[in-house]
Amino acid sequence: METLRHTFEQQLAAALPGVEILLERPKSGDLGDLAFPCFRAAKQLGKNPVQLSQELAASLSIEGGNFVAAGPYLNLKLAPEARAKAVLSAILGAAADRPYGSRRSNGKKVIVEYSSPNIAKLFTIGHLRSTMIGHALAQTHQFLGYEVTRLNHLGDWGTQFGTLLAAYTRWAQDGNADLEQDFDWAEPAPDKRRTPLFRLFQLYVRFHAEEENDPAMRDEARNWFKRLEAGDAEARRLWSWFRKISLREFQRIYDRLGVSFDTLEQGEAFYEDQLVPTMNRLEQAGLLVEGDKGARIIDLEDVGIATPCLVQKADGTSIYATRDLAAALYRKEAYAFDRCLYVVGTDQVLHFQQIFAVLDKLDPWFKGRMLHTPFGMVKLPEGKMSTRKGNVIFLEDVLDEARERVAAIINEKNPDLAGKAEVAEMLGMGAVVFFDAMNDRVKPITFTWDRVIALDGDTGPYVQYAHARIMSVLRKAGGDWAAKAQAGAPLGPVLPFEMMALPADLSGLDAQEAQALLFELAGLPQAVAAVADGCMATPLARQLVALARSFSGYYTNCPILAPENAPEVRDARLALCVATARALRQGLFLMGIQAPEEM
Ligand code: ARG
């Protein structure tokens, strides 16, 4: 397909000197494989676009295809066998380490910073967004040839630790002295309401509740944070214990989600010894201004940001923004990145505008490299989620519920399925993660159980089902057909499939439904690229739905294993099944979703 695109572009460039050639994908495969919209060129040449496309259609020619004028579009439509050959050879003939849609290394370095939960809080459904959007972005960038570093800016420092320390020391005697008491870390799926992290979290919530009536408690918390910042041994000891408890639990969730980071050691606390040098640099650059009561701020009015960036509080303590500045400076030295993506909610848009503006002032190197990719908050029908008020939806509850609902259906419809529990987990996860990706990244999401765990319609399980159905056809076909759609152990984001020779005769794929499926397969690389360009998984999720849907049309209308099929028809149709299974499995994998063999 790439060669064809290239030939088409060259022919157009020769026919239209001085005109920029931008090809698109037609809306459907019936129209063609590639389209050249003639509007711009026609304007430049002082012609009517409809007339121009007709002229071009009459004068150009290409082997294996036709040029067709469709209104103002010039479409290149391949002959059925040429389309089948182009698409199938791209997928089945790809080297195991360079799969379809992937790109060679481009020498560019990208940091994807995502998830970044605050310690001593529990993972809610809200955290799923940053975690899975970030995971898909990291996977996709790597697939497209970027060198990717996955970072987690863990919230393991800041005034909330003052609260935790104050709460813990206040109430430790009430049976909380050992948060880990009676808890077995080896338990694979512990009750969330019994974990050490949950106990810690309860202390935090209690503190906030009691503080309302006892303002002195606020000073108590502030003092503890000061002690922590000053390196007080007891404060330190407790802090690192709280951190350890949190990390162990986060790790369990990351394992369940199949998400990993290059390091979990570069959270906010990591930058502590870099805060003074960072302040010094800001000072030397003449950026610091005295704010309220001796606080230190950076004025950003000259760059159109009305709210100044606070970097040091009146009491001399550092804040969130200071640590973000230190982190960016550190990352420049440590990773020399081309791009740094921050996958953080829309509620922090101003924060990142401020941070990026300060960095631009401090060092022009940062210009254009920093990108906040905000995502909409998850709300409940009754309003915002609030951990303090206790109206939150915990991520694990959602994953568990999704798994249970799937398990109930499996028990009813396919009770003898091998590995039922694993399949239920994969499908439940598929539902939740895919739902998230199908949503517009920036708009808020209203959470309702039925929407998030839906199994019908444009869902993860629908795509997973298409894959499982193909696998069942391939198993029935016998020989090594099923093995051809199975990958080796993942190489980063890549599922390594073995190269496979194409059947010599592809005329079994002439039918319109087979051609429509080939057309959707051809759209996959563009959808993957759109994930990186738009920093959201949505285009890939949509393309996978389109693929699953056109597979269903193919399956219904083009009998694959019918006894009357000539062997070459059967082989061609099976080859298309293998290609589709590979594409679905790889596409889902980029999103962090697994495709069961059977369901
Ligand atoms: N821990 C923060 C929160 O939960 C998110 C951190 C985002 N990353 C950053 N570099 N500021 O809201």
Side-chain angles (χ1 to χ4, degrees):
M1 206 49 94
E2 280 313 297
T3 331
L4 275 163
R5 171 184 280 270
H6 192 64
T7 316
F8 189 12
E9 279 168 350
Q10 277 185 329
Q11 292 203 9
L12 285 171
L16 304 167
V19 171
E20 194 187 2
I21 308 296
L22 288 174
L23 298 183
E24 292 179 358
R25 236 171 91 73
K27 298 258 170 313
S28 97
D30 292 342
L31 294 169
D33 297 89
L34 290 167
F36 176 62
C38 297
F39 309 98
R40 280 254 222 84
K43 200 167 175 195
Q44 231 171 307
L45 301 169
K47 284 191 181 170
N48 171 322
V50 175
Q51 186 201 342
L52 178 62
S53 88
Q54 281 165 358
E55 280 173 23
L56 288 168
S59 66
L60 301 180
S61 72
I62 205 163
E63 211 188 293
N66 287 311
F67 286 105
V68 189
Y73 290 89
L74 174 68
N75 293 330
L76 167 60
K77 184 168 180 185
L78 296 179
E81 275 207 59
R83 182 185 282 176
K85 196 169 167 210
V87 175
L88 291 183
S89 62
I91 301 178
L92 303 176
D97 58 343
R98 291 228 330 108
Y100 180 57
S102 70
R103 293 190 195 149
R104 258 175 229 293
S105 161
N106 61 17
K108 292 224 159 72
K109 293 183 181 167
V110 175
I111 293 178
V112 185
E113 188 217 274
Y114 59 109
S115 199
S116 309
N118 289 337
I119 271 179
K121 291 215 181 144
L122 297 159
F123 253 78
T124 68
I125 182 71
H127 290 101
L128 182 75
R129 299 221 74 194
S130 176
T131 308
M132 295 319 288
I133 295 171
H135 178 69
L137 292 185
Q139 292 281 81
T140 307
H141 274 89
Q142 201 175 337
F143 194 73
L144 292 172
Y146 293 86
E147 189 183 311
V148 175
T149 304
R150 294 158 161 84
L151 296 181
N152 186 325
H153 194 71
L154 215 57
D156 56 0
W157 202 251
T159 42
Q160 77 270 26
F161 279 95
T163 310
L164 280 172
L165 289 165
Y168 180 78
T169 47
R170 236 172 195 252
W171 296 310
Q173 57 276 37
D174 301 1
N176 287 308
D178 185 1
L179 299 166
E180 296 176 89
Q181 201 172 343
D182 301 326
F183 183 77
D184 179 5
W185 281 106
E187 235 179 280
D191 173 358
K192 289 166 284 294
R193 281 146 192 96
R194 271 187 42 244
T195 63
L197 184 58
F198 194 77
R199 295 177 206 179
L200 188 57
F201 169 70
Q202 278 177 313
L203 291 176
Y204 181 80
V205 174
R206 176 172 171 194
F207 195 90
H208 278 297
E210 294 193 15
E211 170 193 68
E212 305 266 306
N213 310 314
D214 184 359
M217 285 170 74
R218 228 157 276 169
D219 290 324
E220 202 177 307
R222 216 167 285 143
N223 280 333
W224 268 108
F225 184 57
K226 271 198 156 163
R227 279 175 69 175
L228 182 65
E229 278 216 311
D232 174 277
E234 179 62 2
R236 276 298 160 123
R237 186 183 68 77
L238 289 172
W239 168 81
S240 62
W241 183 39
F242 297 163
R243 188 176 184 280
K244 192 190 83 190
I245 285 173
S246 299
L247 270 181
R248 283 187 82 159
E249 196 151 318
F250 292 163
Q251 190 59 58
R252 196 169 52 75
I253 293 181
Y254 290 141
D255 288 345
R256 181 166 181 189
L257 293 170
V259 164
S260 64
F261 297 89
D262 284 272
T263 171
L264 282 172
E265 290 310 315
Q266 292 180 21
E268 292 191 49
F270 176 78
Y271 301 104
E272 210 212 327
D273 61 355
Q274 296 158 53
L275 297 178
V276 171
T278 301
M279 289 300 287
N280 289 342
R281 273 190 72 174
L282 294 169
E283 179 85 81
Q284 277 154 21
L287 295 175
L288 291 180
V289 185
E290 190 96 350
D292 229 14
K293 298 186 199 126
R296 322 211 63 194
I297 60 173
I298 298 166
D299 218 23
L300 297 170
E301 248 190 274
D302 59 324
V303 290
I305 302 172
T307 325
C309 182
L310 177 67
V311 288
Q312 193 176 73
K313 290 207 245 180
D315 64 5
T317 50
S318 66
I319 72 154
Y320 183 52
T322 333
R323 292 185 287 278
D324 255 323
L325 291 171
L329 295 171
Y330 174 83
R331 290 172 188 175
K332 175 190 171 186
E333 298 310 321
Y335 302 107
F337 58 86
D338 295 282
R339 220 178 176 206
C340 182
L341 303 180
Y342 292 82
V343 187
V344 186
T346 44
D347 55 341
Q348 296 192 28
V349 165
L350 174 63
H351 168 76
F352 285 106
Q353 282 171 350
Q354 293 175 320
I355 296 299
F356 298 167
V358 172
L359 289 168
D360 284 353
K361 281 177 184 256
L362 195 60
D363 181 352
W365 182 88
F366 284 102
K367 263 211 166 66
R369 290 177 201 257
M370 315 299 274
L371 190 67
H372 175 207
T373 60
F375 56 83
M377 297 289 130
V378 183
K379 294 191 176 138
L380 296 176
E382 58 272 21
K384 231 181 134 175
M385 279 202 274
S386 159
T387 333
R388 286 195 199 171
K389 292 193 195 128
N391 59 337
V392 288
I393 306 282
F394 295 120
L395 174 58
E396 285 198 280
D397 286 337
V398 178
L399 296 178
D400 291 350
E401 175 73 20
R403 184 181 54 202
E404 294 326 315
R405 288 195 191 191
V406 173
I409 297 176
I410 295 179
N411 278 331
E412 188 195 312
K413 295 205 172 146
N414 192 1
D416 302 326
L417 178 67
K420 270 197 282 193
E422 287 81 16
V423 173
E425 171 75 6
M426 285 186 207
L427 296 179
M429 190 85 75
V432 176
V433 173
F434 204 88
F435 167 79
D436 192 81
M438 284 295 274
N439 278 281
D440 180 281
R441 169 163 58 77
V442 188
K443 283 198 202 127
I445 297 183
T446 305
F447 177 94
T448 64
W449 288 97
D450 287 332
R451 283 180 69 215
V452 175
I453 347 188
L455 305 172
D456 305 316
D458 296 348
T459 60
Y462 176 68
V463 176
Q464 289 168 311
Y465 177 63
H467 174 269
R469 208 166 174 196
I470 299 176
M471 295 311 294
S472 132
V473 173
L474 294 175
R475 279 191 301 272
K476 270 194 212 126
D480 60 352
W481 280 106
K484 290 183 200 299
Q486 276 150 353
L491 304 167
V494 169
L495 291 182
F497 294 105
E498 293 224 5
M499 232 187 256
M500 172 188 152
L502 296 198
D505 181 346
L506 296 175
S507 56
L509 302 177
D510 285 356
Q512 196 260 341
E513 291 81 8
Q515 291 290 310
L517 174 55
L518 288 160
F519 177 76
E520 295 307 342
L521 284 169
L524 199 68
Q526 195 178 320
V528 174
V531 174
D533 289 343
C535 288
M536 52 181 170
T538 320
L540 177 56
R542 293 227 172 95
Q543 189 62 29
L544 293 175
V545 168
L547 256 179
R549 189 163 293 137
S550 53
F551 175 76
S552 159
Y554 170 64
Y555 182 81
T556 318
N557 294 294
C558 303
I560 299 165
L561 300 177
E564 67 274 15
N565 275 356
E568 60 276 11
V569 169
R570 175 190 136 109
D571 283 359
R573 291 187 178 170
L574 284 168
L576 179 53
C577 286
V578 173
T580 309
R582 289 183 178 195
L584 290 172
R585 200 191 281 240
Q586 175 67 70
L588 287 170
F589 188 66
L590 289 175
M591 297 176 62
I593 300 174
Q594 300 206 324
E597 306 277 310
E598 205 178 332
M599 61 191 258

